[in-house]
Amino acid sequence: MPVDAQRESAFLFDLDGTLIDSVYQHVIAWREALEQVGVSLAVWKLHRRIGMSGGLFVTALQRELEVELDAETLARVPGLHAEAYARHADGVRALPGARELLDRLSEQGIPWAIATSGSERTAGRARGLLGLPEDVTMITRDLVRYAKPDPDLFLTAAARIGIDIRDSIVVGDSVWDLLAARRAGALGIGLLSGGYGREELIYAGAFRVYEDPRDLMEHLDEVGVRRPV
Amino acid sequence: MPVDAQRESAFLFDLDGTLIDSVYQHVIAWREALEQVGVSLAVWKLHRRIGMSGGLFVTALQRELEVELDAETLARVPGLHAEAYARHADGVRALPGARELLDRLSEQGIPWAIATSGSERTAGRARGLLGLPEDVTMITRDLVRYAKPDPDLFLTAAARIGIDIRDSIVVGDSVWDLLAARRAGALGIGLLSGGYGREELIYAGAFRVYEDPRDLMEHLDEVGVRRPV
């Protein structure tokens, strides 16, 4: 007698670099925000921190800096970043295949949600880019105590759509998504569309890596999604 | 009797992402230039093409695009990129340790040169950022028939400073630098400061990978540079 292995599964998506092509604009915006408080940090190091919680981002920056920043200056940085990002956001597009992938999952009745370390303020624009219906579950940084690489965002998203996190597949472009996925007990899929290298994602625990949402959509059968009969 | 293994060696440096922190500004500038001719391509794919010859860059783009661009439109793109880059170039800085590394090599009498797929027009600004003396050898795209990943830039640089390419160490942040190094018969050192992942550089043939010019400077003994007695 076969075991009942085919429990309902779900997809939990990161947003920046996973569904929308916004990572490089975020990187440049962090660069500009830090310049405004007199901090010069190499851009690739900012890139590798995108997607983690703002608090941990700032902690990580502190470690890189040779001078110590006072708390008041540090507190200004996230606001300056949001302003700088708003200046660059016009150039942000949906990633290839993002809308089609979400539509496909919906058509097949597979639950999905979005979980992002970004705030509602910056993430809200993505609703338009992706043509999301109003009732889509999107868990933003404002809604949890700890953002990635803590698992709270993905745990909250899974709970909101009524799926066991252990039956969920997390899709993200950054090491922080994949670490959060492992801590949550979910499988993690890495996408190259945020600009990390393939092996960085594998070493962070991705059980599969694709180029972008379109590439994932074309290989859904590899991750357990059957074509409708 | 020991062999005379210690022949004079030299360092051949890439510029963008290796000595100056300009890769992300170049990426955004390509994005803007392509938008102006109606082409939308995911930003990470542009990132992974930075540092290769403009002609091959455009050929590679063609392969990614679903529509074919006419030759006239394609020919406009490099000029649009240069204009867009000029708008972002104010934010470009020398990478940590770049000036100190070049000074250290000069002090120890180790020959070095710069070889970049960029044009003199965009590369010229780097002279100021790095405080380069007027007589530094800098081979730009204008001076050779084929840019990276062809070996011409590095071969020309080595010849100009009178060093056998097989005694040269190429330092670059991109896969294209390392492929060109191997084709030229030089050893290649990868730097993470252009935003590639460590393994991408190793798989492209880097015999050693460091974070940035400072990290390389602190480990020069690993690549055959002895402290002066």
Side-chain angles (χ1 to χ4, degrees):
Chain A
M1 199 173 74
V3 295
D4 182 19
Q6 284 298 107
R7 296 201 297 181
E8 188 177 29
S9 68
F11 284 80
L12 306 176
F13 291 95
D14 169 57
L15 182 60
D16 293 295
T18 298
L19 294 172
I20 64 172
D21 196 7
S22 54
V23 165
Y24 291 77
Q25 287 87 346
H26 273 298
V27 170
I28 294 287
W30 281 112
R31 178 81 178 77
E32 291 175 4
L34 289 165
E35 280 275 318
Q36 287 177 270
V37 298
V39 170
S40 190
L41 206 65
V43 186
W44 72 282
K45 292 209 171 180
L46 300 174
H47 185 187
R48 289 305 189 277
R49 295 288 168 187
I50 293 287
M52 77 192 304
S53 118
L56 293 183
F57 191 98
V58 166
T59 304
L61 292 190
Q62 283 279 43
R63 196 165 47 212
E64 297 285 343
L65 294 175
E66 281 150 27
V67 291
E68 194 135 336
L69 285 179
D70 60 283
E72 199 181 320
T73 304
L74 279 179
R76 284 176 57 212
V77 176
L80 292 171
H81 164 262
E83 284 168 27
Y85 180 70
R87 288 196 297 275
H88 293 287
D90 276 351
V92 173
R93 302 282 176 272
L95 278 161
R99 293 176 78 135
E100 297 84 342
L101 170 61
L102 298 178
D103 287 348
R104 170 84 62 89
L105 294 175
S106 296
E107 280 162 29
Q108 293 194 216
I110 296 167
W112 56 270
I114 296 174
T116 170
S117 288
S119 63
E120 178 56 38
R121 179 177 167 195
T122 47
R125 304 178 66 111
R127 292 181 186 273
L129 284 176
L130 293 166
L132 298 178
E134 271 306 305
D135 62 348
V136 162
T137 299
M138 191 189 299
I139 310 298
T140 55
R141 206 268 163 269
D142 326 66
L143 301 178
V144 296
R145 173 133 189 216
Y146 296 116
K148 305 166 196 173
D150 283 283
D152 308 27
L153 280 159
F154 293 124
L155 292 172
T156 306
R160 190 72 66 86
I161 58 174
I163 299 288
D164 189 325
I165 189 69
R166 292 164 298 179
D167 298 323
S168 300
I169 293 178
V170 162
V171 184
D173 68 297
S174 83
V175 161
W176 318 115
D177 293 311
L178 297 166
L179 297 183
R182 294 188 89 179
R183 283 173 63 182
L187 286 176
I189 290 177
L191 298 187
L192 298 178
S193 40
Y196 276 83
R198 180 180 298 273
E199 296 76 16
E200 294 179 90
L201 301 180
I202 292 170
Y203 295 168
F207 92 111
R208 209 82 180 105
V209 176
Y210 299 99
E211 287 207 345
D212 55 19
R214 174 167 298 152
D215 190 29
L216 167 57
M217 183 173 69
E218 288 168 358
H219 296 89
L220 278 174
D221 52 307
E222 293 182 353
V223 298
V225 176
R226 277 165 178 70
R227 288 176 189 278
V229 190
Chain B
M1 200 174 73
V3 295
D4 182 19
Q6 285 298 110
R7 295 202 296 182
E8 188 176 28
S9 68
F11 285 80
L12 307 176
F13 291 96
D14 169 57
L15 183 59
D16 294 295
T18 298
L19 294 172
I20 63 172
D21 196 6
S22 54
V23 166
Y24 290 77
Q25 288 86 346
H26 273 298
V27 171
I28 294 287
W30 281 112
R31 179 81 178 77
E32 292 175 2
L34 289 165
E35 279 275 318
Q36 286 176 268
V37 298
V39 170
S40 190
L41 206 65
V43 187
W44 72 282
K45 292 209 170 178
L46 300 175
H47 184 187
R48 288 305 190 277
R49 295 288 168 186
I50 294 286
M52 77 192 306
S53 118
L56 292 183
F57 191 99
V58 167
T59 304
L61 292 190
Q62 282 280 43
R63 195 164 49 211
E64 297 285 346
L65 294 175
E66 281 151 27
V67 291
E68 194 135 336
L69 285 178
D70 60 284
E72 200 181 318
T73 304
L74 279 179
R76 285 176 56 212
V77 175
L80 292 170
H81 165 262
E83 285 167 26
Y85 181 70
R87 288 196 297 275
H88 293 287
D90 277 351
V92 173
R93 303 281 177 270
L95 277 162
R99 294 176 77 135
E100 297 85 342
L101 170 61
L102 298 178
D103 287 348
R104 170 84 63 89
L105 294 175
S106 295
E107 281 162 27
Q108 292 194 216
I110 297 167
W112 58 270
I114 297 175
T116 170
S117 286
S119 63
E120 177 56 37
R121 179 177 166 195
T122 47
R125 304 177 66 111
R127 292 181 185 273
L129 284 176
L130 293 167
L132 298 178
E134 272 306 306
D135 62 349
V136 162
T137 299
M138 190 190 298
I139 310 298
T140 54
R141 207 269 162 266
D142 327 65
L143 302 178
V144 296
R145 173 133 189 215
Y146 297 116
K148 303 166 197 173
D150 282 283
D152 307 27
L153 280 160
F154 294 124
L155 292 172
T156 306
R160 190 71 67 86
I161 59 174
I163 299 288
D164 190 324
I165 189 69
R166 292 164 299 179
D167 299 323
S168 300
I169 294 178
V170 161
V171 183
D173 69 298
S174 83
V175 160
W176 319 114
D177 293 310
L178 297 166
L179 297 183
R182 295 189 87 178
R183 284 173 62 183
L187 286 177
I189 290 178
L191 299 187
L192 298 178
S193 40
Y196 276 83
R198 180 179 299 273
E199 295 76 17
E200 293 178 270
L201 301 180
I202 292 170
Y203 295 169
F207 93 110
R208 208 81 181 105
V209 176
Y210 300 98
E211 286 208 344
D212 55 20
R214 174 167 298 151
D215 190 29
L216 168 57
M217 184 173 69
E218 288 167 358
H219 297 89
L220 277 174
D221 52 306
E222 292 182 354
V223 297
V225 176
R226 277 165 176 72
R227 286 176 189 281
V229 190

